[in-house]
Amino acid sequence: MSTTREQPIFSTRAHVFQIDPATKRNWIPASKHALTVSYFYDATRNVYRIISVGGTKAIINSTITPNMTFTKTSQKFGQWADSRANTVYGLGFASEQHLSQFAEKFQEVKEAARLAREKSQDKTELTNPALNITSHQVLPSPIISSNGPGEDKLFRSQSADVEITTEKERLKKMLSEGSVSEVQWEAEFFSLQDNNNKLVAALHEANANVDQWKKQLTAYQEETESLRQRVAELESQGAHDSSSENNKEELNQTLEELELLIKAKDEEIQMLKSQKCGRWETEGEREETLQKLQELEARNAELERRLHLAEQTLAETLAEREKIQNEVTKVAEIMDVKIFELSEIRQGLAKLVESN
């Protein structure tokens, strides 16, 4: 697997571009969104690469050499040429700081590639004595005869060269197949990493929404409790109020306000019901909140029933009060007649006393 041999040493996010091969001037975007661009180090081959994968396709697969140069063309854009890929890559970063970090890492990796190449050349010179021969030393030329052992040695040397060439081709093929396999594994790894980041972001958003709905539910419970207290006050006022017409108007106004509050709460319940299916992620919290909503709906129904009873009680009380007022008026009229008759009787008695 590629991750055991080749490890990422630096990663960032950028928009990837490639130079237009036709004009060599215009930039062609490699993807619609920013991609992950990483430096990889292959410890087995002692090489450094810049790799970026979009979906299942390798957008950048550039081996860094000491001759490469990364150029900053603006505050947030940089580019480098890859002669092996016969193209020029361009990266657009979100900030100048990200561009500077990528450029510094490019310089570090370029220097490391130079040291690795020099170290490899030193090892080659130590293992091949023919490279240590100075220019003034002359090797004796082999004696090749037309017939005999010299011709046999020449034939063996040519056969060995053919075998070495075949072995090199086989190794190149194996390396190319290994690179394709590495790119596929890298594509799968970055795809899984992106999916994991999306799931984590969705989980954080769901938790934030649940906390917000809990706060709204607490506020709704407090408002419902306040509404219950106002209904209780209304019932108390309906049972004991028998004073004046002003109290009646005030009570009617309070009833209208309660009806508006109940209507507003019903609308909030409907809104929460319409939103809950799309945002709640955990089954336990959803069931708990649904139960609380059902309890609140039951309490609102009870409040509406009690409000209706209070209205009926108020209407009956007002009717009874009007009946009592009518009876009192009648009794007062009768009393006035009786008082008038009594006053006439007293006047008559007084006249009889005076005449006697």
Side-chain angles (χ1 to χ4, degrees), residues 24-42:
K24 298 295 182 179
R25 293 182 179 180
N26 300 326
W27 290 105
I28 300 176
S31 65
K32 296 181 180 179
H33 307 287
L35 300 176
T36 300
V37 183
S38 303
Y39 287 93
F40 278 84
Y41 173 63
D42 189 345

Side-chain angles (χ1 to χ4, degrees), residues 323-339:
K323 182 179 179 181
I324 292 172
Q325 287 179 352
N326 292 332
E327 291 178 355
V328 169
T329 302
K330 291 180 180 180
V331 171
E333 292 176 353
I334 295 172
M335 290 295 294
D336 290 337
V337 173
K338 296 297 182 181
I339 292 172

Side-chain angles (χ1 to χ4, degrees), residues 142-153:
I143 301 174
I144 303 175
S145 61
S146 59
N147 295 309
E151 186 176 6
D152 183 58
K153 290 181 181 179

Side-chain angles (χ1 to χ4, degrees), residues 13-29:
R13 301 278 296 181
H15 291 273
V16 181
F17 300 86
Q18 288 187 6
I19 200 70
D20 188 352
T23 63
K24 298 295 182 179
R25 293 182 179 180
N26 300 326
W27 290 105
I28 300 176

Side-chain angles (χ1 to χ4, degrees), residues 1-6 45 49 51 53 56 58 61 173-189:
M1 187 174 181
S2 62
T3 54
T4 59
R5 190 184 73 179
E6 196 168 11
R45 293 184 293 172
R49 290 194 299 163
I51 295 176
V53 178
T56 58
N61 187 4
K173 183 178 180 181
M174 291 176 62
L175 289 174
S176 63
E177 292 177 354
S179 298
V180 173
S181 177
E182 289 173 8
V183 170
Q184 292 177 350
W185 282 111
E186 289 162 3
E188 183 178 357
F189 171 74

Side-chain angles (χ1 to χ4, degrees), residues 193-251:
Q193 190 176 25
D194 289 340
N195 292 333
N196 183 62
N197 293 334
K198 292 178 181 178
L199 290 175
V200 171
L203 181 60
H204 288 325
E205 183 180 359
N207 291 333
N209 290 333
V210 169
D211 293 338
Q212 182 180 1
W213 288 329
K214 285 182 178 179
K215 293 179 181 179
Q216 292 180 356
L217 185 60
T218 302
Y220 184 79
Q221 289 175 343
E222 292 176 355
E223 292 180 1
T224 304
E225 184 67 21
S226 176
L227 181 61
R228 185 188 65 80
Q229 293 177 358
R230 295 190 65 179
V231 170
E233 293 175 0
L234 177 62
E235 291 176 348
S236 177
Q237 290 178 2
H240 298 89
D241 186 15
S242 60
S243 58
S244 63
E245 192 68 19
N246 293 330
N247 291 332
K248 176 184 174 182
E249 294 178 357
E250 182 179 356
L251 190 57

Side-chain angles (χ1 to χ4, degrees), residues 105-339:
K105 183 58 65 172
F106 192 96
Q107 190 65 28
E108 293 177 7
V109 172
K110 174 182 173 181
E111 182 65 19
R114 184 185 65 80
L115 295 175
R117 174 177 290 185
E118 292 179 355
K119 186 177 180 181
S120 177
Q121 290 176 352
D122 292 341
K123 287 184 178 180
T124 303
E125 291 177 357
L126 291 175
T127 55
N128 191 353
L131 297 176
N132 296 326
I133 299 175
T134 59
S135 59
H136 63 275
Q137 291 176 321
V138 179
L139 292 176
S141 58
I143 301 174
I144 303 175
S145 61
S146 59
N147 295 309
E151 186 176 6
D152 183 58
K153 290 181 181 179
L154 178 61
F155 176 75
R156 291 179 182 178
S157 176
Q158 291 176 349
S159 299
D161 291 340
V162 172
E163 290 178 359
I164 290 174
T165 303
T166 305
E167 184 67 18
K168 285 183 178 179
E169 293 295 331
R170 187 177 67 84
L171 289 175
K172 287 181 179 180
K173 183 178 180 181
M174 291 176 62
L175 289 174
S176 63
E177 292 177 354
S179 298
V180 173
S181 177
E182 289 173 8
V183 170
Q184 292 177 350
W185 282 111
E186 289 162 3
E188 183 178 357
F189 171 74
F190 285 116
S191 177
L192 292 174
Q193 190 176 25
D194 289 340
N195 292 333
N196 183 62
N197 293 334
K198 292 178 181 178
L199 290 175
V200 171
L203 181 60
H204 288 325
E205 183 180 359
N207 291 333
N209 290 333
V210 169
D211 293 338
Q212 182 180 1
W213 288 329
K214 285 182 178 179
K215 293 179 181 179
Q216 292 180 356
L217 185 60
T218 302
Y220 184 79
Q221 289 175 343
E222 292 176 355
E223 292 180 1
T224 304
E225 184 67 21
S226 176
L227 181 61
R228 185 188 65 80
Q229 293 177 358
R230 295 190 65 179
V231 170
E233 293 175 0
L234 177 62
E235 291 176 348
S236 177
Q237 290 178 2
H240 298 89
D241 186 15
S242 60
S243 58
S244 63
E245 192 68 19
N246 293 330
N247 291 332
K248 176 184 174 182
E249 294 178 357
E250 182 179 356
L251 190 57
N252 288 332
Q253 184 178 0
T254 304
L255 289 174
E256 292 177 356
E257 292 176 356
L258 287 174
E259 289 175 352
L260 292 175
L261 283 174
I262 290 174
K263 184 178 180 181
K265 296 298 112 181
D266 289 337
E267 291 177 354
E268 289 183 6
I269 288 174
Q270 294 299 327
M271 182 180 67
L272 287 174
K273 281 184 177 180
S274 63
Q275 292 178 355
K276 61 181 175 57
C277 294
R279 294 185 179 176
W280 285 335
E281 297 293 336
T282 58
E283 188 65 18
E285 292 179 346
R286 185 175 69 85
E287 294 294 334
E288 180 182 358
T289 307
L290 282 175
Q291 184 177 0
K292 290 182 179 180
L293 286 174
Q294 292 175 357
E295 292 176 356
L296 289 175
E297 289 177 348
R299 293 181 65 181
N300 278 340
E302 179 65 17
L303 289 175
E304 290 178 353
R305 185 186 65 81
R306 293 176 65 182
L307 179 60
H308 182 66
L309 291 176
E311 290 176 347
Q312 291 181 350
T313 304
L314 178 60
E316 292 174 357
T317 302
L318 292 175
E320 186 69 20
R321 188 180 64 182
E322 291 178 356
K323 182 179 179 181
I324 292 172
Q325 287 179 352
N326 292 332
E327 291 178 355
V328 169
T329 302
K330 291 180 180 180
V331 171
E333 292 176 353
I334 295 172
M335 290 295 294
D336 290 337
V337 173
K338 296 297 182 181
I339 292 172

